[in-house]
Amino acid sequence: MKKSVIYILAAAASLCLPSCKKFLNVQPIDKLTGNNFYQSKDDVVANIYDMSRTFFGKINETHFIGATGEYRSGEVLSEPQADNGPARAYVEVLGRNDLLGLINGNPPWNFYNFYRITDWTGYYQVIQSANILISKLEAGVPGVSESEKKQFEGEAAFIRGLAYFFMVRLYGDVPYYTDAYHSTALPRENMVSVLNKCIADLKKYKDGLPWTYADPALKGVRANRGSVIALIMNMNMWNAGFDKPNAIKYYQETADLGQELIKSNAFRLLPINEWATVIKGRSDESLFEFYRSINYGDQNTNVAPIGDMFLHYPYKRPEYTHRISFAYFRAEYMQKLYPGTADKRATIWFNSDIYADNGKFMMLKFAQNSFATGEEDANPDNTFMIFRYAGEILLCAEALAELGQDDQAIALVNKVRDRAEASRYAGGGGQDLKDFIFLERSRELMGEGHHYFDLVRTRRIMNSEWSYNVLTLDKFNRGAWTWPISSNALANNPFMSLNMYWVNGGN
């Protein structure tokens, strides 16, 4: 792991060495990223992989997926009898939206390094690297054909857009730029404007990417046309929640792109009994992922995978520290998701203690690629899934339901439920259908980091029917759904501001 961290830092440093001007602490060095570096197609491909590694570094530095996308609405409780029980109570601190209490002082969970989520530097390193790569490709790189140029530009635009999308969901408004070697201080830009610019940018490059790759090892690992479509769909649906006057436009574009994705036949839902293949990675269901494997010597940081919190022996070892799970989803919430109707996910993705309300609970969704042979404390060897075909089918269904195209929406929902061998949706349209689709995304994508963001963009975070940690309209409008931004962002930038909800004490 130490070697992997050093490699990530070295890659980041190679694109971001200090100069007399500093903007967001990101400064690429001309001598490395200019003509002395981009001499061949291999150089371009190496840079694409470096951007992916740098991006993954942000996810791998803490328990990112759970902290940002799963716990803040209060469905998860800690098991006090678990090993190092007080340190696992951070899930309930997140569930109260006490982010300042999470990252300030000396709590027992400091080894999780949650404060790093507040630092956006790594995302801007990716953005700056992508900007430079696109600039160099436009100028011409020896050995890169016109079709390869379009593909590489599309991959760079995707990872740049993904960085902006992650930051918008975490921080709200963010500085936006796409020029190479950027150094001018900028203020934060309205997040809807940022995502609309990203969408326009991605559309320019979408069709230059292949739907898939001949090498099966690249499935979901290198950005493809499906990756870009998924990202644009998610950006549109986020904007629909915050730009209400233009919501229909966003819904229509999401629906159109979702149907384009489905009609491509480039991806498929694997049978539910082949779920281990999906979460292992590089499957026909993956649209984009950060593939990690111990076979490549790049095992994840132990605290990073969400499965670490919801698995115990025999899926986690040693037995004496993993007799029960560190945390569990409330029984009431699990009964809402799985009320007893036929659904194979309830038995394949969870153990028999699905409604236990204690540490006997296990989320087996992330357990099926366990590799431990001795007593090593290691998580199952899974990918970090970002976009998955099932999620985009349901996002398309949501957009269709918002457009009043209920029959088409129901057909897509049942496509996902058929794969789960679950009873088909047979209800009516309107709000009942919209609520069912929301719950279906909560079921299907549980633990993949989408739930909290779905609550925010649909405004369900302000309704006790949907959240245990309800935000008032006033708190929502003042940014209680965001994360604090590190004060490092203020360095050498007179136009920068932080998230005032957190500056004012988080109340």
Side-chain angles (χ1 to χ4, degrees), residues 417-438:
R417 290 187 65 77
D418 286 348
R419 187 275 287 275
E421 299 182 29
S423 56
R424 299 190 120 210
Y425 178 75
Q431 192 60 46
D432 287 346
L433 175 59
K434 295 174 187 178
D435 289 345
F436 188 86
I437 293 171
F438 179 86

Side-chain angles (χ1 to χ4, degrees), residues 454-470:
D454 283 355
L455 285 168
V456 169
R457 65 177 178 79
T458 64
R459 306 297 178 98
R460 285 179 170 87
I461 193 64
M462 293 184 280
N463 188 329
S464 60
E465 180 183 352
W466 301 102
S467 174
Y468 290 93
N469 177 36
V470 176

Side-chain angles (χ1 to χ4, degrees), residues 3 11 15 49 179 188 253 267 337 384 424 470 475 482:
K3 289 183 179 179
L15 300 173
Y49 280 119
D179 55 304
R188 295 166 67 189
E253 186 165 284
F267 308 95
L337 294 184
F384 271 65
R424 299 190 120 210
V470 176
K475 287 186 175 182
T482 67

Side-chain angles (χ1 to χ4, degrees), residues 113-175:
N113 299 318
F114 288 117
Y115 69 91
R116 293 181 181 172
I117 297 175
T118 70
D119 186 356
W120 61 25
T121 304
Y123 299 115
Y124 279 108
Q125 289 172 346
V126 172
I127 289 165
Q128 191 79 311
S129 183
N131 293 346
I132 294 167
L133 176 56
I134 291 173
S135 172
K136 293 303 174 185
L137 285 166
E138 289 174 349
V141 175
V144 174
S145 69
E146 185 61 26
S147 62
E148 289 170 335
K149 171 191 167 187
K150 290 179 180 178
Q151 176 190 325
F152 295 148
E153 286 177 337
E155 290 187 76
F158 170 81
I159 202 73
R160 174 171 69 191
L162 188 66
Y164 278 121
F165 181 58
F166 267 51
M167 286 197 293
V168 159
R169 293 192 305 175
L170 290 175
Y171 314 117
D173 301 344
V174 296

Side-chain angles (χ1 to χ4, degrees), residues 56 80 105-106 182 226 242 277 285 315 336 427 443 455 469 471:
F56 180 74
N106 295 291
H182 187 90
F242 289 91
T277 300
E285 192 165 333
Y315 303 100
K336 184 175 184 177
R443 276 185 286 267
L455 285 168
N469 177 36
L471 298 183

Side-chain angles (χ1 to χ4, degrees), residues 81 167 173 195 214 222 287 302 322 334 348 360 414 435:
Q81 301 304 315
M167 286 197 293
D173 301 344
L195 291 189
R222 293 277 293 275
L287 296 176
N302 258 8
H322 294 95
M334 295 306 299
I348 291 178
K360 292 181 180 179
N414 284 334
D435 289 345

